[in-house]
Amino acid sequence: MNLNRTRRQILKVTALAALAAPALVRAQTAQRIRYAGFVQSEGELKQLLAALNRYKAINPGVDIVPEFTNFSSFIDKLATETSGGNAPDMFSCNVDIVDEYARRGVLRPLTSYTPNPIDLSDYVQGAVKAATVNGQLFAFPNDAIGPALVCRADSFKKAGVAQPNQMWTWEQLAKISVDLTKANGPRFWGMEDSGSNYIPCDLFMRGMGKTLFTPDRKIGFQSADLAEWFAYWDRLRKSGGVPPADIQASVNGSDITTFLVTHGRAAMTAALTDKFAGIQTMVTNSELFLQMLPNGFDGGTMKQNHYVYAGNSTGLSAKSPHVDRMVDVVRYLHRDHEGVKLRYLGSGMIPCSKATRDMLVATGNPVDAKIVAYIGLLQQQEAAPRSPGVVGMSNMLRRMNEAVAFGRLKPQDAAAQFIEEAEKRLKA
């Protein structure tokens, strides 16, 4: 994949795909459905568009207008359109979007569409639970993902550092990061700064026996705990284990083309597994492997704190008149063999259904097999699923972490500001 192809080019591909729909069909269509969302890579986008175009071809009279981009751009666009009463007919949701938009009445309840035509019995149940609000299903889980470190094998080999045990500590991560930095030369860092990433932050809190948010939508930690999170990355920054503030600020957390690991300038980055295939496609000079993030602290209790859930689900607008057709689109993408192959094979997105995951592995794609194996490892002792927080949490953490990195705030002040802002959003 060309590293210069950026978010703007993804938008361009999407727009061209929309224009490519036959003009005659658009003019005569009885059902015009806007399908908006986020994707993790250009490859994933192309496969999703191929599947949607095939669905349109076998269902004359149905026009699906794709509107896909990266996560950050999508949530801003969704918020704007929803406020203006122009929400798309169907759209991508993560855990936080499902919770907020279900409570606001934007999403349509979908429980009546299970188990027929969408049988969720072999889906990752943590994903189904996360898509359920007040006993009603509000989104169909599209994938199964888990938190991970994406690691470059060549950097570990050059440093003579073995892959860590999966039950390792945050202190060990800090030491290995510094060792990798020293062994791999100038302008290379062992680890990307993940202080602005809420998933590792949640695991950090779980290592303390806490969580970022509780199931009843409350903050699950103390200010001192979050201050220690910011201080952890500040210490790593000063010891050289992660890049200085100006280098890390150039990385967009939702755009893998900006990751330092992608460009051979860092050995490890914290990411969800749905980014693994896209990064591996761009890293042509080294194999990547998946490693658990730390599961505790030196001297403390070690416990597998990782969970498996859906990073991308599909919700349907409560105002759309095309609900039966949209449910059938989901059925085609999730359960039809043709739709599954077009949608998932080699895309890096791992289906939420176990039967569909097994079908994917049987095709022999090695990258898909690595992700499925890692998901299986997490499920052996799976932790409780992530509880919904607030939409826009990544941007909040990023602002606070960068304020510490650039010396504008102390860790304890950044923690206090984050909590104040999060509490306001939880009450909104």
Side-chain angles (χ1 to χ4, degrees), residues 92 122 235:
S92 302
D122 74 336
R235 290 193 296 271

Side-chain angles (χ1 to χ4, degrees), residues 312-340:
N312 187 326
S313 299
T314 298
L316 310 184
S317 168
K319 295 182 178 179
S320 176
H322 307 304
V323 57
D324 289 343
R325 174 60 65 186
M326 294 188 293
V327 170
D328 192 60
V329 172
V330 173
R331 178 206 57 77
Y332 176 75
L333 297 175
H334 284 203
R335 290 300 193 182
D336 187 283
H337 279 202
E338 177 186 62
V340 167

Side-chain angles (χ1 to χ4, degrees), residues 268-417:
M268 299 181 286
T269 190
L272 293 165
T273 51
D274 55 355
K275 288 184 168 59
F276 182 76
I279 298 174
Q280 182 65 86
T281 299
M282 291 185 283
V283 176
T284 58
N285 58 350
S286 176
E287 283 196 18
L288 303 178
F289 64 88
L290 291 163
Q291 163 74 30
M292 283 191 202
L293 286 138
N295 278 303
F297 297 89
D298 285 353
T301 302
M302 298 298 292
K303 181 182 178 183
Q304 208 287 72
N305 290 315
H306 298 59
Y307 34 80
V308 179
Y309 67 111
N312 187 326
S313 299
T314 298
L316 310 184
S317 168
K319 295 182 178 179
S320 176
H322 307 304
V323 57
D324 289 343
R325 174 60 65 186
M326 294 188 293
V327 170
D328 192 60
V329 172
V330 173
R331 178 206 57 77
Y332 176 75
L333 297 175
H334 284 203
R335 290 300 193 182
D336 187 283
H337 279 202
E338 177 186 62
V340 167
K341 286 184 178 179
L342 288 170
R343 172 74 180 90
Y344 290 99
L345 182 59
S347 72
M349 175 177 270
I350 301 303
C352 202
S353 156
K354 184 178 185 307
T356 314
R357 288 201 299 277
D358 291 344
M359 187 178 78
L360 204 64
V361 171
T363 64
N365 183 298
V367 175
D368 285 344
K370 280 186 182 179
I371 305 171
V372 171
Y374 181 76
I375 293 293
L377 175 66
L378 300 190
Q379 288 186 300
Q380 290 176 12
Q381 292 180 304
E382 190 175 348
R386 181 171 80 83
S387 298
V390 294
V391 175
M393 198 158 39
S394 290
N395 288 336
M396 292 166 57
L397 265 183
R398 183 184 178 104
R399 278 190 282 108
M400 303 308 164
N401 190 56
E402 287 187 351
V404 174
F406 283 104
R408 296 193 296 267
L409 286 177
K410 294 180 179 179
Q412 54 268 39
D413 297 326
Q417 285 195 25

